[in-house]
Amino acid sequence: VLDSQYGMYVWPCAVVLAQYLWAHRRSLPGKRGLEGPPAPRPIGAGVSLPGVVAARCGAQVILSDSEELPRCLQSCRSSCLMNRLPHVPVLGLTWGRVSPELLSLAPIDIILGSDVFFDPKDFEDILTTIYFLLEKNPHAQFWTTYQVRSADWSIEALLSKWKLKSIHVPLHSFGADKEHLGSSSLPGRHTIEMMIISLAQSDGT
């Protein structure tokens, strides 16, 4: 049973993204990352599974959620404390909103987002923010997983509008094409996809 605080739950996409981070753990030490959105709402790490995994693997992580959802921000902080990561910053940020916190973010290499492409009415705000962050950090990438819920929507036109490109990452390439990952059964039979988004003119891989 869901309430309005979508960020109080772990979603299947978060488990798949965490698996990708674990599969690439040797490349993470020293990387600077920002985790934002699960589900259909503001930038939000929710219970912050991918961000916690990245931090435990040596990345310098900032977790974010909506400044309007204090319970979700507290959930991020609690996840950090339970995983012995007391110094990981937690910021209030919102998709599509240019705030002092967004403007003052330190340089980043990776943006993490699980299940951000949920409601098409939010896609423009999401990609506006991603474009802003990638413009400030031209070699950064947005690593994102999403659940396919409808064959009727696509972000291709918006990617072109914002001069972004995407690369599809097959789940089998990082051992995530399973109904169970680790001790979690959340991937289940959901159709989950992963892509890496970057600036169209970026020469990053």
Side-chain angles (χ1 to χ4, degrees), residues 31-35 50-52 54-55 59-63 87-89 112:
K31 284 284 198 300
R32 300 160 299 183
L34 168 71
E35 185 183 359
V52 165
Q60 302 169 30
V61 175
I62 299 169
L63 302 179
H87 303 299
V88 170
L112 303 173

Side-chain angles (χ1 to χ4, degrees), residues 35-39 41-46 64-65 95 111-117 126 130 142 144-145:
E35 185 183 359
R41 342 160 311 215
I43 262 188
S64 69
D65 214 308
W95 287 133
I111 307 160
L112 303 173
S114 60
D115 219 3
V116 297
F117 296 110
I126 293 164
I130 293 303
F142 178 36
T144 183
T145 49

Side-chain angles (χ1 to χ4, degrees), residues 80-92:
C80 290
L81 292 174
M82 287 187 288
N83 287 280
R84 300 189 297 281
L85 298 166
H87 303 299
V88 170
V90 177
L91 299 180

Side-chain angles (χ1 to χ4, degrees), residues 27-155:
S27 70
L28 292 176
K31 284 284 198 300
R32 300 160 299 183
L34 168 71
E35 185 183 359
R41 342 160 311 215
I43 262 188
V47 293
S48 57
L49 176 63
V52 165
V53 171
R56 294 286 292 176
C57 290
Q60 302 169 30
V61 175
I62 299 169
L63 302 179
S64 69
D65 214 308
S66 172
E67 62 269 37
E68 299 169 1
L69 296 174
R71 286 179 60 198
C72 293
L73 291 169
Q74 186 54 47
S75 177
C76 289
R77 296 185 183 101
S78 297
S79 292
C80 290
L81 292 174
M82 287 187 288
N83 287 280
R84 300 189 297 281
L85 298 166
H87 303 299
V88 170
V90 177
L91 299 180
L93 299 173
T94 300
W95 287 133
R97 183 182 303 168
V98 177
S99 64
E101 290 78 11
L102 186 66
L103 291 169
S104 63
L105 277 177
I108 53 177
D109 302 303
I110 303 166
I111 307 160
L112 303 173
S114 60
D115 219 3
V116 297
F117 296 110
F118 180 95
D119 188 336
K121 71 178 175 55
D122 298 320
F123 292 177
E124 184 95 46
D125 284 345
I126 293 164
L127 291 177
T128 299
T129 303
I130 293 303
Y131 178 79
F132 174 83
L133 290 169
L134 294 178
E135 271 284 289
K136 287 184 65 177
N137 304 273
H139 297 289
Q141 297 178 331
F142 178 36
W143 297 359
T144 183
T145 49
Y146 60 97
Q147 184 174 330
V148 179
R149 297 180 173 90
S150 170
D152 296 333
W153 64 256
S154 170
I155 64 167

